[in-house]
């Protein structure tokens, strides 16, 4: 099993007060999870925290920078991850408010994504039409309708 790089280990320690933390290698960096919720990424030895419209302004006011990369066609892509403030990297206590903002943003994003893809419950699922539930009854009703028109 490969060892965890020191900076990744440090970031996991910073996030640990909020729940069970883990790192997963991805795209040449690492993804960081709190209780299986993707909240941050590490790229080029920099920690980027998940943001959204609700939390982004706090990161901007703190002088943080967005995660951005260039695609092969040289178009810049900016994601909803911003660097953590330098002082937040000093201790778990200093990181907590930022980690809470990031976790809240990730949970909001997950809730929005889930609502579009989650199957309906039995109570709210659409019922099949009568034709599909009882083909024989539908056929008989059609025949009755045809006789009534004659």
């Amino acid at each position: 099993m490969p060892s965890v790089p020191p900076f990744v280990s440090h970031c996991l320690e910073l996030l640990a007060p909020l729940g069970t933390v883990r790192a997963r290698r991805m795209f040449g960096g690492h993804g960081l999870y709190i209780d299986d919720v993707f909240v941050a990424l590490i790229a080029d030895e920099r920690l980027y925290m998940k943001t959204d419209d609700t939390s982004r302004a706090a990161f901007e006011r703190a002088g943080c920078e967005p995660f951005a990369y260039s695609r092969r066609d040289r178009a810049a892509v900016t994601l909803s991850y911003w660097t953590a403030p330098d002082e937040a990297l000093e201790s778990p206590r200093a990181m907590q408010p930022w980690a809470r903002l990031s976790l809240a943003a990730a949970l909001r994003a997950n809730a929005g994504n889930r609502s579009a893809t989650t199957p309906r419950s039995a109570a709210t699922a659409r019922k099949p039409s009568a034709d599909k539930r009882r083909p024989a009854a539908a056929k008989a009703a059609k025949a009755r309708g045809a006789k009534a028109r004659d």
Side-chain angles (χ1 to χ4, degrees):
M1 180 175 185
S3 66
V4 177
F7 185 68
V8 174
S9 181
H10 175 68
C11 290
L12 290 173
E13 289 175 20
L14 294 173
L15 299 174
L18 272 73
T20 303
V21 294
R22 69 181 172 92
R24 180 176 170 196
R25 285 199 48 74
M26 54 179 37
F27 309 116
H30 287 80
L32 304 183
Y33 297 79
I34 298 174
D35 294 332
D36 290 326
V37 177
F38 188 78
V39 296
L41 59 91
I42 295 174
D44 299 322
E45 295 293 308
R46 292 187 81 185
L47 175 65
Y48 294 90
M49 311 291 293
K50 174 73 175 162
T51 65
D52 63 5
D53 291 339
T54 303
S55 62
R56 188 173 302 111
F59 285 84
E60 289 174 347
R61 282 191 304 272
C64 302
E65 299 173 8
F67 175 76
Y69 66 93
S70 296
R71 295 189 319 211
R72 289 184 187 192
D73 63 4
R74 299 178 200 258
V77 177
T78 302
L79 301 179
S80 60
Y81 291 85
W82 286 64
T83 55
D86 290 338
E87 60 275 6
L89 296 173
E90 295 176 11
S91 72
R93 186 175 186 166
M95 176 58 76
Q96 278 192 17
W98 300 100
R100 287 183 203 288
L101 287 171
S102 184
L103 180 58
L107 290 171
R108 283 189 295 271
N110 288 351
N113 290 339
R114 193 170 298 122
S115 65
T117 59
T118 302
R120 295 177 182 193
S121 70
T124 60
R126 278 193 203 145
K127 305 274 190 272
S129 68
D131 293 350
K132 292 180 181 173
R133 285 186 294 195
R134 296 183 300 204
K139 192 175 183 181
K142 223 182 229 182
R144 282 194 304 272
K147 285 182 184 175
R149 279 183 261 145
D150 291 338

